[in-house]
Amino acid sequence: MIRLLFLLGLVIFALPAQARDFCDMNTMLASYKAAYNRKKLGDLDGAHHSFLKLAKAAIAPAQRHVAQYYFEESREDMALEKAIMWAQLAAWGGDDKAQKLQEQAVESARYRVSEAGLRWANDWRPEETSCFNGTLSEQDDDLQAVGRFPVVRHEELDEEVFAAFVTRLNEAVAIVPKVAPYFTPLLDLIPAFHVIEGEGSDRFIQWDEDRDWLTISAGYLGDLSARQLSYSLILAVQRRLFSLIKDAKFEDQIGTNYGAIKLYGSLYGDVKTKRFLKELHEAIKTARLLPVVLRDKVNYLNEIHYMPPSRYQRSRYSNSKHFAIYDHKRSKPEKRIMMVMQKMAFEETDQLVLELVRAGHQAQQHTWIEGLSAQVDGKGRENAILKALEGDMEAAAKAFTRSTTKRKKEVEDWERLGPDGIKALYCDTVFYQTKAAIALKIHENRFSRTVKMNNCTKARKAWRAYMDEQAKK
């Protein structure tokens, strides 16, 4: 981490004199907040001047404020055309209020005026300025650079895979002006990249709020080109940006929320992401019909990512017998992640509900495992070791019991095999899936295609008893 901060320091102090105004998220947010406060206090011209700088840096909420100024306040020539242009750009950038403003401006304008404004928006490009013209000089196998961006390797990621991903990241950054021409300046708001494991369909890109960098899985190496990664970089910045601006909401084309659960779709054009998000909304809604114990499992999830295979990439999930998994490696207390890996194979919403119950129960198992881990590696054991070194063996005897050894093995098995690799935990999950299927009165055919028994006796007995009751009716 010290080396990373050192390299980030190199980036900051090596900026050219005529650099872009907004080269980091904090500076941009401070400028936006100041402009917003000026507007609230009535300094409309001063606020407009500041918002215009941000708008030229592709900040969609600022573009909306600029459009509103031209539409409601400005009396200069072609103000209406400019209002339409900036409102359209803000709508393309994901600002949910901009579309309505754009429609109002178009309706109030003559055809030629609105046509000119929309044409200007189509032709608009951000200025070609850069935050850093040099490169980072110091590199090693764990820390490399792409332009001005430090790239950090996760300790479990193979060095050769990391090197290959840095090359792919270089390609992705280089083609951003072609893939997302209206949003190129947003790339400069990324402080650093952290690359983690990932193969085939394992696409994962998200802002790590704790470390304030962008975490990316190496699964993007399975793509035939860097195009998806390139657009994903911009999309990740937009999501982060809108989450930090109070007066803006992101209209995400491949992401949404259902209550407290965040849902993320796929960028691939052949995947029908909107359909999936709609069905997932319905599945979470249907989960309300379950008994409270089962419903709570679904609500235990924080994020659901749709990452199916595509003709544009290779997949590591194609042979999986499950529709979805609980991502125990990347989940943590405030981020319980479920990943749907196959194309829409669900014939009915209730099949998806069963997978939600499955992943939710594994998330609860994860909490239990984390509790065991705290016991195994807790401060008490450290103190016991220190006392043993001083000759007090009684504390050590209590800390290192047979049950403690068993708990340590359970934690290690979870980390190594995951919840599906431990038979007792897996069968417990299947049992709750079966209870959910019985509560929903799911058809036998759909149950057999969704729930994988794998010789789980308790679950099999419960389902057989239910089927016997149905046969008597």
Side-chain angles (χ1 to χ4, degrees):
M1 181 59 70
I2 294 175
R3 289 170 59 84
L4 174 59
L5 293 175
F6 172 71
L7 288 175
L8 285 173
L10 288 180
V11 174
I12 293 171
F13 293 113
L15 296 178
Q18 301 300 319
R20 192 189 302 278
D21 287 338
F22 308 107
C23 288
D24 66 89
M25 189 73 76
N26 291 334
T27 301
M28 187 283 301
L29 289 171
S31 298
Y32 186 94
K33 184 177 181 180
Y36 184 71
N37 288 337
R38 280 196 291 272
K39 184 176 180 178
K40 286 177 64 178
L41 294 171
D43 182 8
L44 301 183
D45 290 335
H48 171 68
H49 179 73
S50 298
F51 277 133
L52 188 58
K53 282 188 174 182
L54 290 159
K56 291 178 179 179
I59 308 301
Q63 292 172 336
R64 186 233 310 156
H65 282 289
V66 170
Q68 189 176 23
Y69 177 86
Y70 281 124
F71 184 52
E72 298 177 356
E73 304 295 336
S74 178
R75 297 294 180 267
E76 66 180 75
D77 290 342
M78 298 184 176
L80 196 50
E81 288 94 332
K82 293 176 182 177
I84 293 171
M85 180 192 81
W86 286 113
Q88 180 64 77
L89 289 169
W92 285 341
D95 189 280
D96 73 326
K97 300 176 184 176
Q99 185 62 47
K100 184 177 181 180
L101 179 61
Q102 190 260 6
E103 291 172 357
Q104 291 174 341
V106 168
E107 287 175 2
S108 64
R110 298 191 307 274
Y111 174 75
R112 288 188 178 180
V113 171
S114 61
E115 186 183 47
L118 294 174
R119 186 174 65 253
W120 291 357
N122 190 62
D123 294 339
W124 181 84
R125 295 293 184 275
E127 297 176 2
E128 293 186 7
T129 57
S130 176
C131 284
F132 181 54
N133 292 328
T135 57
L136 300 179
S137 57
E138 188 174 346
Q139 300 181 18
D140 59 28
D141 292 336
D142 295 328
L143 184 60
Q144 297 192 32
V146 172
R148 66 180 288 264
F149 305 106
V151 187
V152 183
R153 180 179 75 89
H154 189 272
E155 58 185 8
E156 295 181 2
L157 182 66
D158 182 79
E159 292 180 6
E160 292 185 4
V161 174
F162 177 63
F165 187 82
V166 170
T167 300
R168 171 52 58 93
L169 192 56
N170 259 308
E171 296 171 359
V173 169
I175 63 173
V176 165
K178 295 181 180 179
V179 174
Y182 302 105
F183 314 120
T184 306
L186 298 181
L187 195 68
D188 286 322
L189 301 181
I190 300 174
F193 298 103
H194 179 220
V195 188
I196 60 177
E197 288 182 300
E199 300 175 7
S201 296
D202 190 6
R203 304 296 183 281
F204 186 88
I205 179 167
Q206 199 159 348
W207 210 285
D208 188 319
E209 297 178 10
D210 296 331
R211 296 182 177 88
D212 196 28
W213 59 23
L214 195 60
T215 296
I216 312 175
S217 72
Y220 284 94
L221 287 173
D223 292 345
L224 300 179
S225 74
R227 186 176 181 84
Q228 164 136 344
L229 175 56
S230 182
Y231 187 72
S232 294
L233 297 177
I234 295 299
L235 189 59
V237 177
Q238 287 176 318
R239 286 172 174 158
R240 177 63 172 168
L241 181 65
F242 276 80
S243 72
L244 297 172
I245 295 178
K246 291 183 179 180
D247 74 311
K249 181 180 177 182
F250 188 39
E251 195 172 67
D252 197 334
Q253 294 298 310
I254 65 166
T256 181
N257 278 64
Y258 191 93
I261 302 177
K262 295 181 180 180
L263 315 175
Y264 297 107
S266 169
L267 278 170
Y268 287 114
D270 65 332
V271 170
K272 300 180 180 177
T273 285
K274 288 185 178 180
R275 174 190 166 192
F276 168 74
L277 295 176
K278 182 179 179 181
E279 292 203 20
L280 194 49
H281 272 234
E282 190 63 30
I284 299 172
K285 181 179 178 181
T286 302
R288 296 177 184 172
L289 303 175
L290 297 172
V292 175
V293 172
L294 299 175
R295 185 168 71 237
D296 285 347
K297 295 182 188 301
V298 175
N299 293 330
Y300 208 72
L301 297 168
N302 300 111
E303 296 182 3
I304 301 174
H305 295 254
Y306 185 33
M307 295 182 171
S310 163
R311 66 173 180 267
Y312 300 116
Q313 46 143 308
R314 295 179 294 276
S315 172
R316 72 165 178 168
Y317 294 130
S318 57
N319 295 324
S320 173
K321 295 180 180 179
H322 294 293
F323 291 133
I325 62 170
Y326 171 68
D327 192 344
H328 70 285
K329 289 190 175 181
R330 288 196 290 261
S331 291
K332 51 188 179 180
E334 301 301 321
K335 194 177 292 182
R336 304 299 188 185
I337 302 172
M338 172 183 175
M339 297 171 67
V340 180
M341 300 133 15
Q342 297 188 14
K343 291 189 178 183
M344 280 308 301
F346 305 104
E347 298 176 3
E348 300 290 341
T349 301
D350 51 17
Q351 289 180 277
L352 190 48
V353 174
L354 298 188
E355 290 293 81
L356 290 170
V357 170
R358 177 174 179 272
H361 181 66
Q362 290 179 335
Q364 289 182 325
Q365 290 175 338
H366 196 171
T367 300
W368 171 66
I369 290 291
E370 286 171 339
L372 293 183
S373 179
Q375 294 176 31
V376 171
D377 301 319
K379 190 70 176 176
R381 286 169 61 85
E382 294 179 11
N383 292 336
I385 293 172
L386 292 174
K387 288 182 179 180
L389 293 174
E390 295 172 357
D392 182 1
M393 300 302 296
E394 184 178 354
K398 292 179 179 178
F400 296 89
T401 62
R402 181 176 297 179
S403 61
T404 304
T405 304
K406 181 182 178 182
R407 287 196 295 268
K408 183 176 181 181
K409 183 180 185 304
E410 289 172 336
V411 172
E412 291 174 347
D413 286 346
W414 172 278
E415 293 295 333
R416 182 169 53 89
L417 302 172
D420 288 331
I422 305 171
K423 183 173 175 56
L425 297 183
Y426 177 82
C427 287
D428 195 35
T429 300
V430 172
F431 176 68
Y432 282 104
Q433 267 192 306
T434 304
K435 291 184 68 173
I438 293 171
L440 294 173
K441 299 181 180 179
I442 189 172
H443 190 275
E444 183 179 7
N445 290 340
R446 294 201 302 275
F447 176 81
S448 63
R449 283 196 293 268
T450 310
V451 179
K452 310 302 177 185
M453 285 290 186
N454 292 354
N455 297 318
C456 293
T457 306
K458 187 178 178 182
R460 191 180 298 279
K461 285 182 178 179
W463 181 251
R464 186 176 298 133
Y466 169 70
M467 294 304 298
D468 289 342
E469 287 180 12
Q470 293 300 105
K472 294 176 182 177
K473 292 181 180 181

